[in-house]
Amino acid sequence: MYRFLLTPRWWGINVFVLLAIPFCIFMGSWQLGRFEDRVQDHRSAGEQAEAAKTQAARPLAKLLPVDKVTSGKQAIATGRYGKQLLVPDRELDGRHGFYVLTMLRTDGGSVLPVVRGWLPGDANPAKAPAAPTGEVTVTGALQAPESPGANGVNAAGGLPAGQTGVISSASLVNLVPYKQLYDAWITLADADAGMKAVPATTPDDTGLDLKAFQNLGYTGEWFVFAGFVVFMWFRLLRREVEFARDAELGIIPDGTESKIGTKAGVETEAGTEAPAAGTPIP
């Protein structure tokens, strides 16, 4: 009954199934591991952000380059404020507004972008308070450079003069008269007068974002594929067994008649013509 399993066709089917199931399980487990890693990164980023609020500020140079470990930590820098830009379309506490971004020319010669605070409404230079003059010392949360479309960053271009949609050295180098820009920025812990402080954001790929739930979705898909392979193997096996049983009982499956002949002795494949009406059939 099951001798058909030893045919070349079924050898190929069985080998495919034996390879496909472990592969699907492996890929599903790998995607699940990626999701768990993102959950852990999200938890660690939250704990790090809370701990950074109580930690003493450290010199900026000791925290660079900014990464997942140093992002959110309190940094301190000294210098003089220079050119000021506005960052439109930024929300805070569910309200629409903009950041006031001012370049700080540090004692080391490089320029550090500093978010001095947030104001409600459309970006308007008249609303933004002027930066303090003279030498200042600023303290704020260190942040990684932004990328378009991440953490609510507006990816649209064509902004008016004096505005930028992204806070990063790559976007600012063409907007400010400084060439040595830190590839990082800080948001002041205490905003300047008339503005609200902008809270630090978590680094990219550390939150429960769309990528994390994509990993979870891929996990389900791979396990479904494994189940589908098993289902199809059993279905093919059942059909083959039923066909073998029908053959043993002499039951001719549908469509076989057209291959071996028709009733009344007419062999269609051999090309024999049907006998005329009234002609006795031998």
Side-chain angles (χ1 to χ4, degrees):
M1 182 68 67
Y2 294 95
R3 291 179 181 176
F4 61 84
L5 292 173
L6 300 178
T7 61
R9 173 173 172 267
W10 272 92
W11 267 108
I13 293 174
N14 293 334
V15 170
F16 172 78
V17 170
L18 291 176
L19 294 177
I21 293 176
F23 177 77
C24 291
I25 293 176
F26 169 78
M27 292 301 297
S29 301
W30 181 77
Q31 290 288 351
L32 181 60
R34 290 288 298 160
F35 174 74
E36 292 175 345
D37 290 342
R38 291 183 183 277
V39 172
Q40 181 60 41
D41 287 344
H42 176 69
R43 185 181 297 111
S44 299
E47 295 174 351
Q48 178 179 316
E50 290 298 322
K53 295 178 181 179
T54 59
Q55 293 176 349
R58 299 172 58 188
L60 176 65
K62 294 185 177 181
L63 297 175
L64 295 176
V66 60
D67 53 22
K68 291 183 180 180
V69 176
T70 59
S71 179
K73 292 187 177 298
Q74 295 295 309
I76 187 170
T78 302
R80 295 175 179 272
Y81 280 124
K83 186 174 179 59
Q84 183 163 282
L85 300 172
L86 305 181
V87 186
D89 300 325
R90 296 303 177 101
E91 291 188 358
L92 184 62
D93 298 332
R95 300 175 62 191
H96 176 78
F98 61 96
Y99 294 167
V100 177
L101 178 70
T102 311
M103 303 299 113
L104 181 72
R105 295 171 293 175
T106 64
D107 295 340
S110 297
V111 175
L112 175 67
V114 178
V115 173
R116 296 171 46 230
W118 174 91
L119 290 171
D122 296 330
N124 186 347
K127 297 181 181 179
T133 59
E135 188 174 78
V136 295
T137 298
V138 298
T139 302
L142 184 64
Q143 298 283 266
E146 295 180 332
S147 56
N151 288 329
V153 177
N154 189 354
L159 294 174
Q163 297 185 19
T164 179
V166 181
I167 306 176
S168 69
S169 59
S171 62
L172 294 174
V173 69
N174 298 320
L175 301 175
V176 296
Y178 316 114
K179 299 305 179 184
Q180 295 183 347
L181 290 167
Y182 282 111
D183 196 23
W185 56 285
I186 67 171
T187 172
L188 295 184
D190 297 317
D192 286 346
M195 296 185 288
K196 295 186 65 174
V198 176
T201 59
T202 58
D204 291 340
D205 296 328
T206 58
L208 294 178
D209 53 7
L210 179 60
K211 291 182 180 180
F213 290 103
Q214 282 179 339
N215 292 134
L216 187 60
Y218 293 150
T219 299
E221 288 181 1
W222 282 112
F223 287 136
V224 168
F225 290 157
F228 181 75
V229 170
V230 174
F231 168 76
M232 290 302 300
W233 184 85
F234 274 108
R235 184 175 181 181
L236 290 174
L237 178 67
R238 181 179 177 181
R239 290 181 59 184
E240 200 79 20
V241 170
E242 290 176 351
F243 183 85
R245 288 176 179 173
D246 291 344
E248 289 182 355
L249 296 174
I251 301 175
I252 300 176
D254 294 340
T256 306
E257 291 179 355
S258 62
K259 296 180 180 179
I260 64 176
T262 62
K263 294 179 181 180
V266 182
E267 296 177 359
T268 56
E269 291 186 349
T272 305
E273 295 181 0
T279 303
I281 299 175

